[in-house]
Amino acid sequence: MTVPLNSRRPSITLSVISHGHGPQVLDMLQTFIQSGLLQHWRAEVIVTLNLPEPALAAALKQTHWPFPVRILENDYPKGYGANHNQALQNARSDWVCIANPDIRWCPITAPPALTTSATGQPIGLYCPAQVSETGTPQDYARTLPTPWGVAARWAARRHNTRTPPGTASSVSQAHWVNGACMLLPAAAYHQLGGFDKGYFMYCEDVDLCLRLQLHGYRLAALSITVVHAAQRNTRRQRQHFYWHIRSLLRLWVSSTFWRYCWRTRGQHPPRPI
């Protein structure tokens, strides 16, 4: 597949981390190509191998991609935020895209409009719609995770509540969106220094969204859809549960969390739960 160069198309640097996700990374990149987005975006891809994956590295090198692909191989496993910061630190594109290896891009029906400003307020993050394998909307847009709110959410999930507490009605009404797929102006990402690498896993996306808003940016929906299975490893693996609890505690004692609480007090919607 050959994509003609067009200087009017925005440039995107897509960062994806593989932690033994080889086949999913390849599938994600193929659906990215098939989505039709390359007709409107000029893309480059950076794949970080957080663990040795010679088969994935070979497949990435041997495949003829319609965009440049760079491979980073870690000497030791790093956290989610540290990996993306490492990959994007020298990005010179207009936008940076954080994408999980387990998402699949859906075909677009219209060109996605990207702008860094709308209604007089700069946009710091776009979030595509996320759906399950069956097309059911996922709860990717959330309200502020407070201790009592997180407890209510876990209880609701245990009892299979259809819409768990903490779900926002839309991206524009959300305090944060999950990091499965997010698109940011490169200038905003670099202004904030990227993710806080003090979070090894979990809550990096919360912290980034709160800091963006504290710097005057807003969150916005992007008119594309991705399929995300949302494995919820916290409830299945003890190590992930530990990482989640540790990250929540770090978030709740951070100045970012309390400055955001103070700034948004009395604002409806959304409201912290």
Side-chain angles (χ1 to χ4, degrees), residues 12-18 25 28-29 32 44-48 70 72 80-89 91 93 95-101 103 105 179-183 189 195:
I12 312 288
T13 300
L14 188 153
S15 174
V16 57
I17 304 163
S18 182
V25 172
M28 186 271 284
L29 292 179
F32 182 62
E44 65 170 341
V45 174
I46 302 175
V47 179
T48 301
R70 186 154 59 97
L72 302 180
Y80 174 94
N83 273 314
H84 284 300
N85 287 352
Q86 170 185 262
L88 297 171
Q89 61 183 343
S93 55
W95 299 79
V96 296
C97 181
I98 310 298
N100 276 12
I103 67 165
W105 303 82
C181 188
M182 50 174 58
L183 189 69
Y189 184 84
F195 290 99

Side-chain angles (χ1 to χ4, degrees), residues 198-214:
Y199 295 93
F200 183 79
M201 186 175 292
Y202 301 109
C203 294
E204 307 95 331
D205 41 14
V206 185
D207 172 79
L208 181 66
C209 289
L210 299 189
R211 286 190 290 124
L212 280 167
Q213 293 167 84
L214 288 171

Side-chain angles (χ1 to χ4, degrees), residues 32-231:
F32 182 62
I33 296 169
Q34 296 160 7
S35 69
L37 285 167
L38 291 178
Q39 297 177 31
H40 311 285
W41 295 350
R42 290 179 293 124
E44 65 170 341
V45 174
I46 302 175
V47 179
T48 301
L49 307 184
N50 209 24
L51 295 174
E53 290 186 72
L56 174 57
L60 289 169
K61 293 174 182 176
Q62 293 166 7
T63 302
H64 177 67
W65 302 102
F67 38 66
V69 175
R70 186 154 59 97
I71 304 169
L72 302 180
E73 299 184 65
N74 288 342
D75 295 328
Y76 59 91
K78 298 179 181 178
Y80 174 94
N83 273 314
H84 284 300
N85 287 352
Q86 170 185 262
L88 297 171
Q89 61 183 343
N90 296 317
R92 295 295 179 264
S93 55
D94 303 318
W95 299 79
V96 296
C97 181
I98 310 298
N100 276 12
D102 61 348
I103 67 165
R104 296 203 309 275
W105 303 82
C106 298
I108 61 173
T109 56
L114 291 178
T115 177
T116 55
S117 180
T119 64
Q121 187 177 10
I123 293 173
L125 185 152
Y126 276 111
C127 181
Q130 297 178 26
V131 300
S132 68
E133 298 279 358
T134 60
T136 303
Q138 297 277 25
D139 57 332
Y140 56 93
R142 310 274 185 83
T143 55
L144 192 65
T146 60
W148 50 92
V150 169
R153 185 177 181 83
W154 283 350
R157 286 201 176 280
R158 187 173 182 181
H159 293 89
N160 296 317
T161 301
R162 185 177 296 272
T163 303
T167 303
S169 59
S170 66
V171 173
S172 62
Q173 299 295 310
H175 291 123
W176 67 284
V177 295
N178 72 20
C181 188
M182 50 174 58
L183 189 69
L184 300 89
Y189 184 84
H190 294 312
Q191 179 188 355
L192 269 65
F195 290 99
D196 180 347
K197 63 182 181 181
Y199 295 93
F200 183 79
M201 186 175 292
Y202 301 109
C203 294
E204 307 95 331
D205 41 14
V206 185
D207 172 79
L208 181 66
C209 289
L210 299 189
R211 286 190 290 124
L212 280 167
Q213 293 167 84
L214 288 171
H215 278 76
Y217 295 100
R218 72 180 183 89
L219 314 181
L222 186 63
S223 58
I224 62 176
T225 301
V226 298
V227 175
H228 183 224
Q231 296 298 316

